[in-house]
Structure formats: C-alpha cells, structure tokens
Amino acid sequence: MKYALCALLLIINMPVGFSQTSESLQATVADESHPLSPSDSLASIHVRDGFEVQLVASEPQVLDPVAIDWGPDGRLWVVEMADYPLGIDGNGKAGGRVRVLEDQDDDGYYETSNVFAEDLSFPNGILVWNKGILVTAAPNILYLEDSTGDGRADVQRVLFTGFLEGNQQLRVNGLRLGLDNWVYCASGSHHAGYGSENKITSTITGETHQVGSRDFRIRPDTGEIDPQSGPSQYGRNRDEWGNWFGVQNSRPLWHYVLADQDIRRNPHFAPPDPIVQVVTPLNPLVYPAKAPQKRFHSFNESGRFTSACSGMIYCDDRLFARKDHEQNAFTCEPFHNLVQHNIIYDDGVSFSFRRDPAESEFDFFASEDRWCRPVMVRTGPDGGLWVVDMYRYMIEHPDWLPPEGKEELRPHFRSGEDRGRIYRIVPKGSEHRIATRLAGLSTTELVAALDSANVWQRDSAQQLLVRKRDLSVCEALGEMVSNCSNPLARLHAMCTLDGLEALTSSVLKAGLSDAHAGVRRQAVRLATSELVSVDSLVPLAADPDLKVRLQLAATLGAFEGPLAASMLAKLATDSAGEPFIVANVMSSLNANNITEVLFSFVRQASQQPEPQAVGDVRLQLFSQVAAMGDAGAIDQVVKLACTAENDAYQPWQLAGLARLLDGFRHQDVRVHLSETSLASVDELIAKSMSIAGDESNAASVRMAAFDLMLRHPKRYSSELRFLAELLVPQSAVDMQLAVIRRLAEQSDGQVAVVLLAGWRSYSPLLKARVLDVVSSRSGWAMTLLAQIKSNQVSLAEISPAMRQRLLSTKDTVLAAEWDKLFATAGQSDRKQTIEDYQPVLGLEGDAGRGKIAFQKNCSACHRLGDVGHDVGPNLTALTDKSSVAMLTAILDPNASVEAKYLTYGVLTVDGRLQTGMLDTETGSSITLLSTEGKRETILRSDIEELRALGTSLMPVGIEKDLSVADIADIIRYVQFAGSRNGG
C-alpha cells in the first residue's frame, strides 16, 4: 500500500506523549516539545551494563552535527547540516558548516570550537585529507584548506560535480579510506536517476562518468572515480579486513560480497545481487527506551528499524575483546533514539548475525529523550564508540509530509537548530586513553604506528606514509609484513607498500602464506603477474577460508596460461554451490582463457559424482563459450552436447546446446561452427521434437528438448503446433510452464494467438504467466486487446498491476486503446475516489475475511507476518494504524513514493518490455523486481532503453477489484495482524 518515504537522517519523527520508563526523568521529559539540557539528555540515555556514556561536546561548541572525523593532530572535525531541512532561511539558502574542535589539555573534552567553513549546501560527509578536508555537499565533493593559518578555509575546490540533489536525505555521503588507498563514498540515492541526471564529472581530468545507482571510490588528488557495488543510503563503512558494509532505512546492515570492478569485467555475464543482508529480517526489531512517536505516513513499522544509518563495524579492542571470526556491528536508528549492536560472525563468503543476550531489554545505546537523533557512529582514536547526535525535534523533510503533518509540524521544522551533541561510550570506570598524535611523527615512527589495535590510527598512518612517499621505509614495512605478531599491522604494511608502488615479490609471497586469512585475502587481491607467478597462488585454490577463494576467483582473471585456467575450473567445480565464487570465476573469463577453463572444468567434473550445482555451472560456461566466440571451445561444447550415451541424452546436454546457441544471439550460428559441429547440431535439433514427444523419456529430458525447438525455419510450424498441443489441462503444470517459457523467447506474432487459445482452461498460475509474456511485446499485447474486446479474455482477469504494465507501452496508439478500455482514473481523480470510499470508515471489518482478501490482492507485493512477498514495504507492524491513513494509502499509492519503489521499464534490443522496481545494478547488468518477488536480470548489452515510469509499483485502481467491504476487511486484518506481530 503506500510506500512511505524514509532515509538518511531519517524518518518521520512526530510529537506524542509516552509513559515514562525512568521515574527520575519523568519531570524533565514530560513535555517533549522542549529540548533537554545536555546534562539531562545525557542522564536519559540507557547504555549496556559495564559501559558509560560521556558527553564530549555540545552546544555551543557544535550545532546540528551529522558527521565527524579526526585529524592527525588530534583535532575533531565536525560537519553541521545547519541548513536542514529547507535552507538556513527556509527558502533553500545554503548554511551548512564545518567546525573544528580542539582538546587542548587532553582530558577527552573539547574546550575550543572554530567555524572552518560555512554556507555549504547540506554537507553530510567529511574526511581529513592532505592539508585540509574533503566534504560531500551535493552536487559536489569539495576540497577545503586553510592556506593562511587563520583557521578559516580560504581554499575551496570542487573535485567532482554532478551528484543528484533533491531529497537531502538521499545525497552522496560517506568518505572512508579503503585498504587499497582509494576513498569510498555512498551514493545515497536509490535508483533515483539515469542518463544526464546522474553523470559525474571530475574537474581534474575533465572526464564524465556514469555511476548510476552504485556507490563509488575516488582518488582525490588525481580525479579518478570508479563505481562500486551499491548503493548505501547513509554510510559505507568497512571492517578491519577490507569487507565493506552498507545500510538502507529498513535494512540495518548488509555486506557487499562482490566488487564491481571484478564483476563488470565480463559484459556477457549477469552476476547475482552483490549484496547479502547480514542483519535480518527486513525491518528487524529495535529495543528503545521510550514509546514510539506519532507518524503521518502509513506503512512504517513501529518498534522496528525504519531509519537505519551509519552501519559500521567496531574496530578496536577497548570495548570488546577480539575474537576469531567474530565482530561487533553498530547501526544508528534515529527515529527510535538509539544505536543497536549486533554480533556478526563469518559465514562462508559473507556473514551472519546474532543479538548479544546482554542487551535483552534495551539496545546498546537507547535514549528517553525524543530529541536525541543518533545519525553517525564511529570507532574513535581512543577506542571509544563515538555517537553523533544531530539533536532535532523532527528530521523528516517537510516536502515529504502529508498536508496535515506539514501543518502540525510547521512550527518545528528547525527546532533544535541551535543544539547538537557528540557522545563517547567507554568501559565504565576506565581511565581516559589519549590517542596517538600522528602529526609531526617521522616516517619511521609512522611505520611503528601501524602496529596498533585502533583502526583510525592504522588508516591514518597508512595515508600519511603513502602521501609522504618516503621509500626509505620500504624495508621496515617489508619486515613488518614478514615478522610482526599483529596481523592487522602486517596487513596495513603490505597495503602501504602497494600505495607507495613499492610492493615486492618477496613481501607479497609472505602475505600469500600468512597465517591469517584476512592477510592472505588482501595479498591475493594485490597479486599480479608482474610480482608473482601463478604457481604462488596454487595452494590458495584449496584455502580453508572461502573469502580467500572468492578473491582468488577474481584475481585469476588477470593471469594467462593453462595453470590459471585450471585453477579457475577447480574453484568452479569445488565451489559450485557458492554462487558468489562462481560469479567471480565467470567474471574472470575472457577470449584468451575460456577454452582452457572449459576443458579443465569438464575433466575435473567428470572425476566425481555430479551434483546439480556442477551441472548449473556447466550450463553457465556453455553460455560464455558462445559469447566469447572461441572456435575450439565451441566445438568442444558441441561434441559434449551431441554425444549420446546408449542413445540417450541427459537434460544438461540438450539445455547446454540450447545455451550455446542462444549465446550467439543475433549472429549467424553457422559462421561459428565447423562443418562437423554444424552437422551434429542440425541432427540433434531435428531430433528434439521426437525426444520431447517420447513419453517414456523423463520429464526433465522432454522439457530440456523444448529449448532446441523452433530453431529451423522448415520445422518451425510443426514444432509450434506440437508445443501448442501441450498447453492443455492433461499436461503437467511444469510441462506447460516450460512451453510458455520457450514461446516467450520468440518474436513471432503467432505466439500470442497460441498462448491465448487455451485461456479458459488455464489455472490462475498459467494465466498469470501467459499475461506476463503477451504483455512484453506491443504486437502480442495488441492480440490480447483484441481477445478482450471479443470477450475471449475477461477484462476482470487483468489485475491492476498488469493494467499498469500494459499502459506503460511506448506505443502511444496502443496505450490510448488500453486507457480507453480500462477507463483509468488519473491522479487528479484520486481525491474523488477517496471521497467515494468514505463508507469504508463506518464499517467494522472482519480480519478473517480480510486475510483472504489480502492474500488475493496484496500479498504479491507486501509481506505481513509470514504471508506475502518482500517487494513493497513489509507490513508486519504499522505505526499509524488508523483506518483513514490506510484507506488513503490503498487508494492513492502515488501520493508519496520513495524513489526505490518507482517502476522502471526496460525495452530490450529484441523488442521485449520488462517492468519492475530497479532492484540491483552492476557494471554488466540490472535486475528488476516485480510482483511475487520475481526478478528479471538483463545484461546491459541487451538494453535498448531504460526509463523510470514515474509511478509506484503499486498500481492505481486496485479498488476496481475490491468492494467497500473488502477494503474494510483488509484494513481490519492489517491492524489485527500488525498488533499481533509486534506493532
């Protein structure tokens, strides 16, 4: 139903009273319309036993803080988004600031505060860099420097420009150092722009880059920019070993398993979604210290994550002892005034999580002060956990509030602009730890600083060493890689040498044989044929750590020769059940190695029983063989596929040959096949109809044979009739679905006639699939239109979602015909529709009937408890359960649509139209998500046009299929089920 807007700093925070959980604070927090003093707000914070919260800075030293970083001189740099939400003057005027705080007596509290830069446009990210700082302030990434020593930024250079503006909660942000010496950023915007709207220009190189909806990394000094897997909403952070993590309002932590620079190398391969959700499920529970607040949007979950931001991994040992294969993750949740802690642990190529039982009542940091808005959390140089509190009465942008909410909150748009707090969490009763001041240290001392438990110190020392470019330290760095007892120091020393372009073969080999998997993995990433031979990598193909093997599968793509190919084949065979490792293997394929990889894979796979996963990898390889166009590999595939054992074919042989032939796409197959191969292919294709028609064959064999049919002009008509005759109730459903799938790949106008001929005998499942197919081409949709007009297909059987898809055609004549047929009400009619359905509000509704209606009409896109699909927002618990709010959401889905729920249309080069939400984007492909959780992955090379349709995935007009009583029942069911599931 309504897709609520939520984001970076985040989510709708509205006034409401609540029952006090702390008697001592009851008087001070009873009136939530007034802010608390820093001391009272500090007293309202619950923190886990054994820890204490310290206030290190507050107004007037800081105002509206949203991001922090530390300089090598110990100063604290703070970004202040003072112009939020509508500009410093309420009319868009820029007013953001950067402030510098200094702790002059090293007691852990900041006495001085100086405004370094101001009049910035909604700044939200910072990194100390060179002699100044980097700041994200869309549409720009800026470099600011004080060249005169007066404490003010007199140098202000735009390094990159063109980033999307719009919603201040979805803008470019981040700025974090990578082990690879790049600076990483979060794009912030979720599928919010394409084409000219999303092209980023480097002012240093003058080049323009298409980043799309991915994150990216930059080299600020040279102007390079490189897309990364993404996007993360607010904060893209890594752990100590180089794993990157992101967030999105209802998803508190995910892991980027695949690197975009790897998976985009092979344009013929569409990789899986590079993201794994670590903290699950969608909208997991939070444990606040206060009751939930009033909200004005409909479907936002109460008591669950809705405003996740700044997901990070704690990287020190002051708060928690280090454990092998286990780390501590923290995510801010400003709507609920808390920071949640989860323990994440290694799980194959990614991670799983569990909640710490010590935090059963409240989350790690949970405030009773409704103004407390933790928006960033970081590991400090002192080993403490630092929390940035913007301290605002409301943070949701007024432009995305409904009219009644905007009016009620108008007096509070900027409430809190004169306040802000920064906290530090440390072990209770511990002595203050003074962070090492790196400024002024010699290069030798900086090398020693790499041997630290603290991530800020190691990162900063590495950055300073790389910038100084003093090659006299290379020997000491190499010695550290080989002999230091601290694996993190070994890791940074190796990466520092890489940044100095001074990594040697001997040092890299030491890293490859390191006792710690994290060091080995980064050494594999750095391995090049100029530094080591492929022989040095052989032991790592059987490494016990899957993350090492994952990286090896990517690195081997840069090596040539039969040994590298054999190792890729071994990884594909041994790790066939690990789709991410297989994806990196496929990304490493190229015209120079495809033949060797295929031959080696076939040999290795034949030496052991073949599980299904190995067969799936074989089919993927067959597809790649055609795309690469290597004659030797093509002939090998044909031989494998066409050689029957005891006159019987296996499903993989038939399907494999079809994959090979499909891989040639619009090319002339005969150009790529030798005479012998061509004869074998023609013979097997000619047999395909008899194989499919032989009922003594296994169903899997018969269905695989379908894929070889409709390929020869002389047999096309007879094979089409054969397939049509299988679309009857007497055929198994799987058989009919396989026929529909094969017909969907054709462009022949007769196909729509064949598919619709048996309409009245189809089950609902088959009807849905047929409609999905015939709506994908304008010509077929015209046939459907004619069938509806002649009453062969009932208009009532066309769902609202399908109506929306049919109306999205580029054929204006056809669109007008559909519009006339459906008599679709435009957006301007929604108010009248809502008025017409006001009788719903006078009905009680029945939850039992509502569940049935929900399953039929809503579950294709929404999940409620264990019913439905996670396409639109999860409805497990609603904050605003009023019937008025839900009625509006159902009838007017386009009133407020978060960008990620917009519908996109993809027109492929072969004329098919696919629609859905833009779920995943990589360098080589995009994936659309549509009803019932269906995902359609499309290679970029197959896209003729990609366009946002400007509407919610939830269709307008759902009321056409629902009576007044049905809607009342659905509302009652959602209210009832939501309350039972933690709402």
Side-chain angles (χ1 to χ4, degrees):
M1 306 182 166
K2 183 180 290 183
Y3 300 149
L5 189 68
C6 34
L8 174 175
L9 294 172
L10 273 341
I11 293 296
I12 314 156
N13 305 305
M14 308 304 173
V16 70
F18 64 93
S19 268
Q20 273 303 327
T21 57
S22 170
E23 292 182 5
S24 63
L25 289 168
Q26 217 160 19
T28 54
V29 299
D31 183 2
E32 292 193 323
S33 64
H34 296 288
L36 299 184
S37 68
S39 59
D40 285 340
S41 188
L42 175 65
S44 76
I45 297 171
H46 295 259
V47 69
R48 173 175 157 177
D49 288 346
F51 298 90
E52 62 179 308
V53 184
Q54 299 172 349
L55 180 68
V56 297
S58 61
E59 66 273 5
Q61 286 103 328
V62 291
L63 309 172
D64 303 304
V66 297
I68 58 174
D69 196 25
W70 298 267
D73 57 1
R75 293 189 296 172
L76 177 66
W77 295 76
V78 183
V79 164
E80 301 179 337
M81 195 185 282
D83 39 3
Y84 190 80
L86 297 173
I88 200 76
D89 61 350
N91 290 305
K93 182 180 179 181
R97 298 178 294 261
V98 175
R99 195 181 295 267
V100 189
L101 279 64
E102 191 166 359
D103 175 11
Q104 296 178 323
D105 57 5
D106 285 332
D107 66 349
Y109 302 93
Y110 294 89
E111 299 86 18
T112 67
S113 173
N114 174 61
V115 174
F116 181 76
E118 52 192 337
D119 299 328
L120 303 176
S121 179
F122 301 99
N124 59 3
I126 187 169
L127 177 69
V128 176
W129 185 262
N130 196 5
K131 298 177 182 178
I133 57 172
L134 303 174
V135 175
T136 51
N140 304 317
I141 294 180
L142 305 169
Y143 173 72
L144 307 177
E145 181 184 320
D146 169 19
S147 66
T148 63
D150 66 352
R152 301 281 292 185
D154 56 281
V155 175
Q156 181 170 316
R157 290 199 298 269
V158 175
L159 302 183
F160 301 91
T161 189
F163 296 101
L164 295 173
E165 296 179 74
N167 187 345
Q168 290 85 354
Q169 301 169 332
L170 292 171
R171 296 186 176 197
V172 58
N173 65 86
L175 298 169
R176 291 289 182 270
L177 292 169
L179 290 171
D180 56 5
N181 300 293
W182 288 75
V183 174
Y184 285 71
C185 294
S187 73
S189 57
H190 292 276
H191 324 302
Y194 269 84
S196 60
E197 289 184 85
N198 211 26
K199 291 182 179 178
I200 311 306
T201 299
S202 166
T203 61
I204 298 175
T205 67
E207 297 177 353
T208 297
H209 304 264
Q210 182 74 54
V211 174
S213 63
R214 289 170 287 174
D215 292 343
F216 58 94
R217 58 182 181 173
I218 59 175
R219 292 194 188 276
D221 297 336
T222 59
E224 296 170 76
I225 184 168
D226 182 55
Q228 294 293 290
S229 300
S232 181
Q233 188 166 313
Y234 186 59
R236 190 186 212 275
N237 295 294
R238 66 167 174 83
D239 66 7
E240 297 176 300
W241 305 105
N243 296 291
W244 286 95
F245 298 85
V247 296
Q248 185 253 332
N249 47 48
S250 57
R251 298 169 172 86
L253 195 73
W254 64 51
H255 172 217
Y256 297 106
V257 182
L258 299 177
D260 196 79
Q261 65 267 26
D262 295 330
I263 55 179
R264 67 175 178 246
R265 294 175 301 177
N266 182 356
H268 310 295
F269 174 68
D273 187 343
I275 292 172
V276 165
Q277 302 295 332
V278 177
V279 177
T280 57
L282 186 70
N283 299 98
L285 289 169
V286 293
Y287 300 83
K290 61 187 295 298
Q293 301 152 202
K294 179 181 178 181
R295 306 170 82 129
F296 289 95
H297 283 292
S298 298
F299 294 123
N300 290 301
E301 287 81 353
S302 173
R304 296 174 179 272
F305 264 107
T306 60
S307 58
C309 57
S310 187
M312 59 79 73
I313 311 301
Y314 176 74
C315 299
D316 199 292
D317 59 7
R318 187 179 182 191
L319 300 187
F320 305 96
R322 277 198 172 86
K323 296 181 180 179
D324 289 340
H325 311 296
E326 195 171 279
Q327 303 183 82
N328 295 276
F330 291 87
T331 304
C332 293
E333 166 56 32
F335 171 67
H336 290 94
N337 322 103
L338 59 86
V339 178
Q340 185 170 101
H341 167 227
N342 286 289
I343 297 171
I344 68 170
Y345 54 90
D346 285 337
D347 185 9
V349 298
S350 190
F351 301 89
S352 291
F353 87 106
R354 67 175 181 272
R355 183 169 172 81
D356 195 318
E359 297 152 22
S360 58
E361 183 177 3
F362 299 124
D363 272 313
F364 188 87
F365 172 107
S367 175
E368 293 184 34
D369 181 0
R370 69 83 36 83
W371 293 61
C372 177
R373 306 299 181 192
V375 296
M376 177 173 282
V377 60
R378 293 196 65 183
T379 306
D382 61 348
L385 186 72
W386 291 54
V387 179
V388 178
D389 175 9
M390 191 179 184
Y391 207 81
R392 285 285 188 114
Y393 182 75
M394 61 170 284
I395 296 183
E396 171 66 341
H397 199 288
D399 286 353
W400 282 271
L401 288 173
E404 66 274 17
K406 186 179 293 187
E407 288 308 308
E408 181 173 327
L409 291 169
R410 191 174 298 280
H412 300 287
F413 283 178
R414 294 187 55 77
S415 295
E417 63 177 315
D418 56 347
R419 297 172 186 270
R421 287 87 194 262
I422 299 175
Y423 299 103
R424 173 179 56 222
I425 303 172
V426 296
K428 192 170 185 178
S430 63
E431 293 185 3
H432 173 58
R433 181 196 289 182
I434 300 175
T436 301
R437 300 286 173 88
L438 301 179
L441 294 186
S442 68
T443 51
T444 300
E445 290 170 323
L446 286 173
V447 171
L450 293 174
D451 187 4
S452 168
N454 183 261
V455 68
W456 174 87
Q457 180 171 315
R458 295 192 308 273
D459 283 351
S460 299
Q462 177 177 328
Q463 181 194 165
L464 290 170
L465 284 165
V466 170
R467 181 165 294 283
K468 287 175 179 291
R469 306 203 71 78
D470 180 358
L471 299 183
S472 67
V473 300
C474 291
E475 183 177 350
L477 288 169
E479 179 69 17
M480 180 172 280
V481 174
S482 299
N483 297 316
C484 184
S485 60
N486 179 359
L488 289 165
R490 302 196 297 268
L491 176 71
H492 278 270
M494 184 172 60
C495 293
T496 302
L497 284 168
D498 173 56
L500 291 169
E501 299 178 327
L503 190 60
T504 64
S505 174
S506 60
V507 171
L508 185 57
K509 286 180 178 178
L512 292 171
S513 60
D514 196 276
H516 197 286
V519 180
R520 294 197 303 276
R521 180 184 178 190
Q522 291 300 320
V524 172
R525 177 183 64 83
L526 295 171
T528 65
S529 57
E530 289 76 25
L531 287 173
V532 293
S533 68
V534 72
D535 303 70
S536 302
L537 302 176
V538 170
L540 297 157
D543 197 281
D545 189 279
L546 285 181
K547 293 183 178 69
V548 174
R549 282 190 259 166
L550 176 74
Q551 181 59 57
L552 181 63
T555 296
L556 285 169
F559 286 81
E560 297 183 357
L563 182 54
S566 175
M567 291 170 65
L568 281 169
K570 176 176 174 56
L571 288 166
T573 305
D574 295 348
S575 305
E578 295 286 344
F580 291 110
I581 294 179
V582 172
N584 270 354
V585 169
M586 296 299 164
S587 75
S588 288
L589 298 178
N590 54 63
N592 296 324
N593 67 11
I594 182 63
T595 301
E596 288 289 347
V597 172
L598 175 68
F599 288 1
S600 183
F601 177 84
V602 171
R603 287 194 300 269
Q604 294 181 43
S606 65
Q607 295 172 7
Q608 58 188 23
E610 181 175 303
Q612 179 63 44
V614 172
D616 292 341
V617 172
R618 181 192 283 110
L619 294 182
Q620 291 186 62
L621 282 172
F622 285 2
S623 295
Q624 295 302 306
V625 163
M628 303 292 179
D630 183 273
I634 291 170
D635 283 343
Q636 172 73 358
V637 169
V638 171
K639 183 178 179 181
L640 287 170
C642 296
T643 303
E645 185 175 339
N646 299 324
D647 293 325
Y649 290 94
Q650 298 299 313
W652 69 261
Q653 292 178 286
L654 304 173
L657 181 59
R659 288 283 191 99
L660 176 73
L661 298 176
D662 290 341
F664 292 119
R665 301 187 184 279
H666 307 293
Q667 306 173 54
D668 185 351
V669 175
R670 296 173 182 275
V671 173
H672 298 278
L673 298 180
S674 66
E675 289 187 10
T676 302
S677 293
L678 186 59
S680 298
V681 169
D682 283 343
E683 181 182 356
L684 185 51
I685 288 177
K687 293 179 180 178
S688 60
M689 189 164 75
S690 61
I691 294 172
D694 187 348
E695 296 186 2
S696 66
N697 287 329
S700 58
V701 173
R702 297 177 65 196
M703 289 187 289
F706 294 166
D707 292 337
L708 289 175
M709 297 169 67
L710 305 177
R711 296 179 183 274
H712 197 288
K714 291 183 178 180
R715 292 189 290 272
Y716 182 86
S717 296
S718 60
E719 290 175 347
L720 183 61
R721 285 195 300 272
F722 171 84
L723 292 172
E725 290 169 359
L726 292 173
L727 292 175
V728 293
Q730 291 75 22
S731 297
V733 171
D734 287 348
M735 191 78 69
Q736 294 185 72
L737 288 172
V739 170
I740 295 170
R741 183 174 61 250
R742 180 62 186 138
L743 293 177
E745 295 166 354
Q746 310 307 305
S747 57
D748 179 14
Q750 299 178 72
V751 167
V753 177
V754 169
L755 288 172
L756 292 168
W759 179 260
R760 294 183 178 179
S761 69
Y762 292 157
S763 66
L765 173 64
L766 291 171
K767 285 183 175 181
R769 181 62 185 128
V770 167
L771 285 177
D772 191 43
V773 171
V774 298
S775 64
S776 68
R777 296 181 186 274
S778 295
W780 295 356
M782 191 68 78
T783 301
L784 173 63
L785 180 68
Q787 295 273 44
I788 293 174
K789 286 183 175 181
S790 65
N791 295 319
Q792 299 302 307
V793 175
S794 171
L795 182 61
E797 295 180 285
I798 309 301
S799 69
M802 182 54 64
R803 294 174 198 172
Q804 185 160 295
R805 179 174 181 177
L806 291 167
L807 287 165
S808 67
T809 177
K810 288 187 67 178
D811 186 326
T812 55
V813 174
L814 180 58
E817 287 289 320
W818 283 122
D819 190 64
K820 181 180 178 181
L821 185 65
F822 293 138
T824 303
Q827 182 65 29
S828 60
D829 297 324
R830 290 292 93 193
K831 288 184 179 180
Q832 184 59 51
T833 301
I834 293 172
E835 286 295 322
D836 293 343
Y837 275 78
Q838 287 302 298
V840 167
L841 304 178
L843 299 179
E844 176 67 24
D846 180 89
R849 293 195 304 265
K851 181 176 183 179
I852 297 172
F854 178 88
Q855 289 175 317
K856 179 180 178 181
N857 297 282
C858 309
S859 63
C861 289
H862 292 289
R863 178 180 292 275
L864 184 56
D866 58 356
V867 175
H869 299 269
D870 283 322
V871 179
N874 188 303
L875 306 182
T876 296
L878 307 181
T879 301
D880 187 347
K881 300 183 178 71
S882 71
S883 298
V884 174
M886 283 191 279
L887 177 64
T888 302
I890 293 170
L891 300 179
D892 194 5
N894 290 327
S896 179
V897 187
E898 188 181 349
K900 78 189 193 75
Y901 294 118
L902 284 173
T903 304
Y904 278 78
V906 175
L907 183 65
T908 61
V909 292
D910 63 355
R912 285 187 290 177
L913 175 66
Q914 305 288 344
T915 59
M917 294 180 346
L918 192 54
D919 183 58
T920 303
E921 180 176 5
T922 72
S924 62
S925 67
I926 66 167
T927 299
L928 297 179
L929 174 64
S930 59
T931 56
E932 297 181 346
K934 291 183 291 188
R935 284 177 166 80
E936 183 76 22
T937 298
I938 306 161
L939 286 172
R940 290 185 181 276
S941 57
D942 287 342
I943 297 174
E944 182 168 310
E945 182 183 16
L946 170 67
R947 60 192 172 103
L949 302 180
T951 58
S952 164
L953 186 66
M954 178 178 171
V956 170
I958 193 171
E959 72 277 359
K960 295 180 184 298
D961 294 327
L962 296 169
S963 67
V964 169
D966 288 335
I967 294 179
D969 291 341
I970 289 175
I971 290 173
R972 182 68 188 115
Y973 168 63
V974 173
Q975 291 171 330
F976 173 75
S979 65
R980 292 193 61 180
N981 284 280

